[in-house]
Amino acid sequence: MTTLTAPPETTRRRSGLMGQLRERGVYLAVAALFVFNLVFTANFATPDTLRLQLIQAVPIIIVALGMALVIGTEGIDLSVGAIMALAAAVIPLYLGYGVLPAIGMALLVGIGVGLLNGLMVAVVGLQPIIATLAVLVGGRGLALVMADGKLTELFDPTLSALGYGKVFGVPLAVLLTVVLVIMVGFVMRRTLLGRQLVAVGGNRKASLLAGVPVRRTLFAVYALSGLLAAIAGVVLTARTGAANPAYIGLEFELFAITAVVVGGTPLTGGRVRILGTVMGAMLMQLVSTTLVSHNLMDSDRRIVTALIIIGAVALHQARRRSS
Amino acid sequence: TQTAEAPPAPAPSDAGQQVQSTSGDDCTYENYGGTGVEKIDLATATIGFAQSEREANPFRSAETQSIKDEAEARGIKLIATNAQGDLNKEISDIQSMLAQGVDALIISPLKSEGLDPALDAAKEQGVPIFTIDRLLTSKDACVDYIGWVGSDFVEQGRRAAEAMNRVTGGEAKAITLLGAAGVNVTTDRNAGYREWIDANAPGIEIVAEQAGDFDRQKGQTVTEQLLAAHPDITAIYAHNDEMALGAVAALKAAGRSPGDVKIITIDGTQGAVQGIIDGWISGVIESNPRFGPLSFQALEDFYSGKGVPAVQIISDKEYTPENAEAELVNAY
Amino acid sequence: MVKSDLAPRGSGAKHDLALEVREVSKHFGGVTALDNVSFSLAPGEVRALIGENGAGKSTLIKVMTGVYRPDAGELRYLGERVELHTPRDAQDAGISTIYQEINLAPQMSAARNLYLGREPRTRLGLVDVRRMVSDAREVLSQFGVYVDPRTSLRELGMGVQQMVAVARAVTTDARVVIMDEPTSSLEPREVDRLFAVIRALRDSGVGVVYVSHKLDEVFAICDSITVLRDGKRVHDGPAAELDRLGLVGHMLGRSPEELRSAAPSRRTPVPHDSEVPALLNVQGLHRRHVLHDVSLQVRSGEVVGLAGLLGSRRSETVKAIFGALPVETGSVHIDGVELAPVTPARALAAGLALLPEDRKLEGIIPDQSIKENIVLAALPRLSRAGVVSDARRDELVEVFMRRLRIKAASPNQKVRELSGGNQQKVLLARLLCLQPRVLLLDEPTRGIDVGAKEEVRALIDELADAGLGVVLISSELEELADGADHVVVLQDGRVAGELSAGHISEGEIMTIIAHHDDQQSQVGS
Amino acid sequence: MTDRTAVAAAGSVPGPPIHDDADRRADRRDRAVALVRRSGAVVMLAVTLVAGTAGFGLNFVHPNNLLYTVAAGSAFLALVAIGMTFVIITGGIDLSVGAVLAMSAVIAAWASAQWGGIVGISFALGAAGLVGLGQGVLISMFRLPPFIVTLAGMQFARGIAFKVTDEGNQTVLIGDIGWLRWLGRGTVLGIPVPVLIALIAFAIGSLVLARTRTGQVVFAIGGSPDAASLMGLPVRRVTTSVYVWSALLAGMAGVLIAARSSTGEPTAGYGMELQAIAAVVIGGALLTGGAGKMSGTLAGVALLAVIQNLINQVGTLSQYFQDVVSGGFLLGVVLLQAGLARRRRSP
Ligand SMILES: Nc1ncnc2c1ncn2[C@@H]1O[C@H](COP(=O)(O)OP(=O)(O)OP(=O)(O)O)[C@@H](O)[C@H]1O
Ligand SMILES: Nc1ncnc2c1ncn2[C@@H]1O[C@H](COP(=O)(O)OP(=O)(O)OP(=O)(O)O)[C@@H](O)[C@H]1O
Ligand SMILES: [Mg+2]
Ligand SMILES: [Mg+2]
């Protein structure tokens, strides 16, 4: 998708705190919402509530990390929700062999579907949105066929530890997420893959002529996205204590894309903001908490969400017009 | 689907739907639509079934399964569609089944209104329709459809309120986990509940109503958020069992103990009835989805000339801590 | 805002100046692109706007055409002060522009591009496609382009695209036509056609602003010259009063004496010796409708020129060698080892590097920094176990920015913000930091200023002396005549002839082309 | 200089490339492939129709099925997809269409119940147009990414739909307005009215796209908005209007859906944005903009509808398996098209 790329006139000036904040509108929005809740939401400033914000944001953060990489290559991955469902459907099938093999299988399925996406995008040359849309439709169907459409209760101590366990008061799932964020951040900042994927997103033709292994990069990126979605599926399943392929990850593709874009990664590719993505997910979490805490209706919630999305994106797209 | 060797396990005798009350004239193939329709032999007929919502909801999946099982048990050919919550698709689905030449239809309408084009088409082709679950309010029995069998969702809400009043002793700060927005079930279950509470239980304060979309995960997330905002709540009314189980998970995670917060829910799934046994849930109002036997019985009566009543309301049970253990086998 | 009835075109209203810019300044963040620049253009005048890469020429043009709003200063058109908010305002007023990078819709046909926004319409108000196509065919043929106007632009070479852009700009009823490097991808033959057009415009009273780095052209066609240096106007006067050296002096800010003493000496040609084994050996490249049995050899230390007219498939030839264009038959050997199948990655690994012709589409990654752009191809070499060493990267970037004298605020500046010439240098740096053995350079001096051009030429010489093989494509024949040891002339995707050291001259090359043309089309001259 | 002028004077047209036999054969094959490819969706549609007829015979081809079920059921998607085609050709995307459809349906029902059909339709289209205008302005003037703007628009419009129906608790029924019902359910010469309206919209859409200046600008914007703006084209105006039209068409579909079922559903059109995008892409449009055809879109819509119909015809597939089949079908269609495209690109 092309946005109207502004003529060079719109160069950002990165000077001063205000400039920084404008550049990173999402940080400002998160901060504002946080302060709002501190003041107006009862019981918000308690450790439990704050911890809850993190825990509940975990699945979206994890999925959005993968999505950010895909978007960096000027792609999109609509299949993440379906991959979560597939991961959830696989767990009970293999739980008989032990919890680790079951989780392993779930992650393998995620990678596998990711590779399939990669195949269609990189080798066949399909448009990412349509390739992954097909997987979105078919993948969840497959998950439901595997699970016979049913929710399966899971009673496994290791799984519930993943959902509810804590280390030094920090939930395991949050720790896992921190590790993942650092890893993906490292990939983006320091590795060949990170550099090459933004190059592919910035100008695919030029990258090809500069010897960037475009196909391999795309494969890797979609596989990573699939893997991360599967991890999110496992974590969410662990937290629910039940594999529920019908509902798990519904609309997660849209949440994740929103988190990524609100976080400052352009859909036109060529740039990836990892911390911004995390912030984007946190913003959505805070919006949800705020609205639920103040008992807003579904319709209000949608309207407010719309305004906040526009506000956050507008903030960091706001550019100085040279007068 | 089941294999030929293993016929559907007969449900425990009182798990099937029981008719609580019937009313209306008896409808047969001879007087249907004023002029009557062609008599067919049910055994060789093709019946179409239009499901309204995604079967991800246990209620829906049990409903569809029950219809399929009954058709198979009777050796009747069945074609099934699912509108996935889209009224327009349900119209197309029904028309598509008509185009395939079904002899009669069983419809679970998505809405009480709005299926007119499909109903008209069926009438034109002389295909009778039996409706289940949701009543077509602006249509007439034995004119536009044979008859209807279903639960009264408003009544379910009232009974949930009654149960809530009983288990909390009439004093509670309660929250409600609503079903998906824009769905009749949600509206009715909430309307009945509020109506009863407003009239009879001044001590029960509803501090928040939030949508959990009939989903366990969503129910859990919302309950967690509401618990954080209102740590003092003492009761939860969930529009279905899945959300109630999500609420249980949230309570567990928040370190609450069973019975701290009273939960009343509707449906009657195994998990929820087990929840009563475990002490987390205080009561379940049953909503029986097993429409298969009654629906096909109605078609049989229709064609045999015995006649079908316009309205059959089924009696829904209530699971309580007293009967939960014994009734667990009947839950779906 | 200019009202279109402000000056009915062709009416008697006479103005001394068609377009005037008074004391305009323009800043981009910390960079001052224009500093108090004044500029004027009379009707019927052809004025050259000259300056080094990054001097501010394109910026001035964008200020004059409503793309940028100036930070200070004013714009006058036909004697009245105007404010242009969008390029459309400028166009409606009668200022027609060919921007530096070709700005057309590449996926649309040549005809549609030519008439975009002013398509001929039928009585019903619908676009009259048939007329549009036949008109386009007619117009394009006047510009020496004989293509099917229904072909999408993308499938035509840069040269044709450039001609379409020119045709589009001059076929409007404009009073001012601005051309920012219109000849950068044109052949001598097309340049002459363009000049004929410019003269016709001048004769009908249209003012023309002409930007080019090719000084010959400037003296051939321009009446007056404005020179910019570092965003300031440093010279303004009739062309007749200036000679070549003086002009370069103004551009670079050095006296003619200094320049004369600094004139580079050319390298002595390397003989195209068939005894010596070839470093790059290309045999029988064939692709239906495109390439027909193209073979060439490059030896270590040799510069092989590829000459030919617009669309003679020079670009396609090097792309095929590099593996960026699939071929049906043919082989590529490097140092006797065959690359099979050829892919860009494999070619790079074997020491082959390609500088693409279309800088914008195939070269730069506009939103990334200079730094990232330079090291893109070298990344695998800068990394161990998949982790890139930033220290080594910065070192490399510094070396090449200095060596190629890339003018930028910092290595972290986005490439999109650089002037065209500096973008080209960034791409050259990308290749050079790979330490390649054979360079395929497709128009390496396109759009870069005289100073930089000399630098690049010297660089090519230097690289060849260091033992590299070079394939050089250039639309400037003198560049081939001076710099190449051997020239392969292409025509319609086949080798029309070859010239060896000592026999290479512009005239010889043109003779081969003309001769081949005759054979092919049996059209006598 | 003298050399150059001399040659220029000789200036001859480059001769046609010389062919050999293999080349000529390859050319013929290419032309055939190109034809199939250019109308890939149409070809796929034909194949599916033949397969459907072979599999289900008269039940499938009977007008009761093809005209009253398939066509009548997909007329709404067709309307939405026409707007989406314009949007996608400009390189944008409109995720709000399904929600705008629901919003318009609800408003149409609500307002016409109170003030009559004319007011109902005007309110519905007015609201849709406003949402479209808002989105268009944010995208074209403030340069916000279309994906995210229309994602927000989707939430917004859906929110309004729920607001009007009191969170979906209220069923808004269109009163007994004969002509309004006719719009949704009537037939003209045996053709359902919504199908007729969709066909007319399609004809107008094709004409605008292929034969008006605005249509040309739409393509140019998709190729490169910067270049289009430098060419002096009205980029902002056309970009804005494309989103307005997309919303208006979705609104029109909403009105027709309300008229068809006599009620406005806040949950209507759920997921329709993705279906519309799929139809447009199957029809040959590029999401990067600059390419697309109205006829392709129509074929894409028909293809999706026929696939769904075939799945219904089988009738015994479990719902989940239906999803697997439609996902597989979608993939098969695009893979086939891609396969054809590749054969043409590389020799
Ligand atoms: N959008 C922008 N943001 C930041 N700097 C810019 C931008 N556009 C131009 N500049 C800077 O302004 C200066 C003038 O650039 P301009 O493109 O006008 O040069 P030019 O004379 O046209 O050069 P060339 O001959 O290479 O085309 C350069 O230093 C360039 O880096
Ligand atoms: N004057 C012309 N008449 C017809 N077709 C032309 C003309 N010039 C170029 N073309 C077309 O343009 C394309 C040029 O290909 P290519 O880029 O390989 O040529 P080139 O020799 O590098 O020329 P250029 O200087 O345009 O890059 C071909 O598709 C050819 O059909
Ligand atoms: Mg320039
Ligand atoms: Mg070329």
Side-chain angles (χ1 to χ4, degrees), chain C residues 120-285:
Chain C
R121 290 193 279 200
T122 62
R123 238 171 298 136
L124 291 172
L126 298 177
V127 173
D128 188 343
V129 178
R130 197 176 302 164
R131 188 147 71 87
M132 185 167 76
V133 169
S134 65
D135 286 3
R137 199 186 303 275
E138 164 114 30
V139 168
L140 288 177
S141 71
Q142 285 169 14
F143 286 83
V145 178
Y146 302 92
V147 293
D148 182 350
R150 288 166 300 189
T151 324
S152 77
L153 213 58
R154 168 167 46 205
E155 287 166 37
L156 301 168
M158 292 285 285
V160 176
Q161 296 188 23
Q162 185 75 65
M163 282 314 259
V164 172
V166 169
R168 179 182 162 81
V170 304
T171 48
T172 53
D173 250 345
R175 311 192 124 239
V176 171
V177 175
I178 301 175
M179 305 181 173
D180 195 350
E181 301 199 32
T183 58
S184 59
S185 12
L186 293 188
E187 280 306 315
R189 192 161 70 165
E190 276 66 35
V191 172
D192 289 333
R193 287 214 171 85
L194 177 66
F195 282 6
V197 171
I198 293 178
R199 285 189 199 102
L201 289 171
R202 175 174 61 194
D203 295 344
S204 60
V206 175
V208 177
V209 178
Y210 189 85
V211 177
S212 177
H213 290 297
K214 301 177 184 173
L215 301 186
D216 289 346
E217 294 175 359
V218 170
F219 287 109
I221 193 75
C222 297
D223 308 317
S224 52
I225 298 180
T226 298
V227 182
L228 295 183
R229 183 180 349 119
D230 291 336
K232 295 190 190 65
R233 190 181 75 178
V234 292
H235 175 83
D236 194 73
E241 288 175 10
L242 215 56
D243 64 356
R244 208 187 144 101
L245 219 49
L247 178 55
V248 175
H250 282 303
M251 286 170 63
L252 303 183
R254 280 185 273 172
S255 68
E257 291 69 39
E258 270 178 275
L259 289 170
R260 220 170 264 125
S261 60
S265 58
R266 306 299 312 178
R267 181 173 74 92
T268 44
V270 175
H272 190 70
D273 189 347
S274 48
E275 298 299 297
V276 182
L279 186 53
L280 170 69
N281 187 358
V282 178
Q283 288 297 336
L285 294 183

Side-chain angles (χ1 to χ4, degrees), chain A residues 113-175:
Chain A
V113 178
L115 284 174
L116 176 72
N117 287 333
L119 182 77
M120 291 187 296
V121 172
V123 180
V124 185
L126 293 187
Q127 304 188 56
I129 202 169
I130 197 79
T132 56
L133 176 64
V135 177
L136 160 91
V137 176
R140 189 172 294 273
L142 195 63
L144 284 163
V145 169
M146 280 160 57
D148 197 18
K150 292 198 179 62
L151 171 149
T152 316
E153 306 265 3
L154 302 171
F155 304 102
D156 185 277
T158 318
L159 265 185
S160 49
L162 184 57
Y164 294 98
K166 286 183 196 143
V167 181
F168 303 122
V170 184
L172 257 180
V174 173
L175 278 182

